[in-house]
Amino acid sequence: MPAIRSTIAGATSLPGSATAAAREARRINPALNAFLQIFEPGESRPGPLSGVPIAIKDNICIGPDLSVPGDGRGYAGRTTAASRMLEHYESPYTATAVQRLLDAGAAIIGKTNLDEFAMGSSTEHSAFGPTRNPWDLSRVPGGSSGGSAAAVAAGIVPVALGSDTGGSIRQPAGLCGVVGVKPTYGRVSRYGLIAFASSLDQIGIFANCIDDAATVLSIISGPDPMDATSADRLVPDWTSTAPINGLRIGVPRQTRSSANHPGVAAAFEEALRVCGSFGAEIVDIDLPLTDHGIAAYYIVAAAEASSNLARFDGVRYGRRAETRPGEVLADLYARSRSEGFGTEVKRRIMLGTHVLSSGYYDAYYATALQARRRILADFTSAFNDQGCHCIAMPASPGPAFRLGEKTDDPLSMYLEDVYTVGVNLAGLPALVQPMGFVAPPSLAGRADASAGLGGGPLPVGLQLIAQAFDESTLFRAARMYERATDWHLHTPPPV
Amino acid sequence: MNSPLTDEHIRRIAALSHLRISDAEVSHYRDKLGAIVEYVNRLTELDLRGVEPLVHIGDAVNRLRDDAPGPVLATEVLMRMAPVAAPPYVVVPKVIGDGSSA
């Protein structure tokens, strides 16, 4: 069991780290279900990440490297998106972000669990069972990248890749007490990421410290001819540790909301006090559409999902249902999709179909896109008119909730994302880092404690948001906070 | 529970989505989707007159590449992925029915 948090420096200094990580993953996985597959690491290439064990969210493709003839890495596993639809799918190609990790020497030790097609905020919508939070096994790790968050929090790997469409990296990072980075839209190639909502999706990183997140982001960032939306922008050196003089942090009035769990509210105010203690100036700002952002997000994301997931038809790859005599192609589509998709995915496809359907398009989709413009303008105003370097808010309104607590009420699950979706709609970079712990919300935890199911403190996360392509400011500000606190050094109880 | 969506509408969007849902599922989706639709209706509270819709973030422009062949996936690789194939074709049921089924 790890006594300290796993880091890249620790992994590169110890020969056999990747093999040890795979062994640890096998030992812990029956309790956590963080991994859908665990690989036996092979030889690593020399490079900045040589031998560093990394886990990959299972909606990111890994295949035999066909672009490099003779580069036989053997069986590359399946890419399932935690869906019955892709249960046996073996990708014929590798995502650019993963290829860049492999080229830097990383050892991919496994594929991590997620909400099916990344649709969810708890990892309970996986077709292969929920992931559990290492801090309290009766609670969710958040989602959709819950497997990656749990794998890093449990000390199995120092770094994992996730994807963030509406908070799917930041919310689980907060609930598991690790660092999570959602880069600017276009910063990291989406080639090989199974599409959920293409105008919002972005690959990002989980790590145990800001330095590791910055190091790995610099490796996977940059333009890619295979993704026309990847930005043709220079990737700056994010390892600079220089503090920001006169750091100005905007705090939206709307996030000091009574809807926050009191422990989250207290931890957030304390985090702002700490920022003040190292010289940051805290200024009030307004993001008036914070609540409406949820509505705009779920319209835009569902609309794009209904279109993106139309490709799963049982014909070219993925699950194919049996048809009855006399049935036609449309029956094959409908049967395959009905068998292959889980309930939440079907809900979102149908919601997307509804908002795009004739007679509803203007009322929903066009209106949501107008709200999206307004949300971007509000962020821009905080940076340009009020001179904020970054904006701070909690990662989510509460700590990790219990398994099953929100599965019957999709709307309450969607409200988990109130502080994260605006960032995706506006395409901005954001980072979450540990900002303390709160007591579990209910007394029931006490009974669980004796059963080994936690009941102890639960981590919560501080979110920082910066202007597009200004990850430098995020990392520098986050390092200032990290240096002033020791929340990132705490480890969950041994599993 | 009062849902803004009717059973008939749920059946219609399920069909448009190429999904088959049972009668029991119709009421599930009517209630759950209805609650979500009710929630997202709050967007109508906003005065968004004159605001240009934002379809896509970023400053990306259309990118052209040289019309030169690059690495591609081999047909055999793609055929192996198809659940039912008679290379170089994928096999599907009859495309056009007698009009009696969905």
Side-chain angles (χ1 to χ4, degrees), chain A residues 228 230 233 292 315-316 320 328-329 331 337-338 346-347 353-354 364 369-370 372-374 408 425, chain B residues 9 17 20 28-29 32 37 45 47-48 51-57 59 63 82-83 91 94 97 101:
Chain A
S230 65
R233 297 259 188 160
H292 291 89
V315 174
R316 290 153 302 150
R320 177 181 176 121
V328 296
L329 184 59
D331 297 297
R337 292 164 62 79
S338 302
K346 289 178 187 168
R347 268 199 291 265
T353 304
H354 170 68
Y364 292 111
L369 293 181
Q370 288 177 304
R372 185 178 190 181
R373 169 88 56 193
R374 184 68 68 72
D408 284 340
L425 289 168
Chain B
H9 185 70
S17 306
R20 256 169 214 247
H28 167 90
Y29 286 111
K32 302 290 185 195
V37 164
E45 298 164 3
D47 181 3
L48 295 167
V51 178
E52 184 71 18
L54 175 61
V55 178
H56 204 277
I57 292 291
D59 47 12
R63 235 178 262 177
V91 175
K94 210 165 49 155
S101 76

Side-chain angles (χ1 to χ4, degrees), chain A residues 165-184:
Chain A
T165 305
S168 281
I169 289 174
R170 288 161 289 152
Q171 183 252 17
L175 301 192
C176 289
V178 298
V179 172
V181 180
K182 182 262 175 213
T184 308

Side-chain angles (χ1 to χ4, degrees), chain A residues 1 21 97 99 109 121 126 145 199 211 234 257 315 325 342 366 409 436 480:
Chain A
M1 74 196 72
Q99 191 60 54
I109 69 145
S121 308
S126 166
S145 314
S199 82
D211 281 346
L234 198 70
S257 146
V315 174
D409 184 0
M480 292 166 78

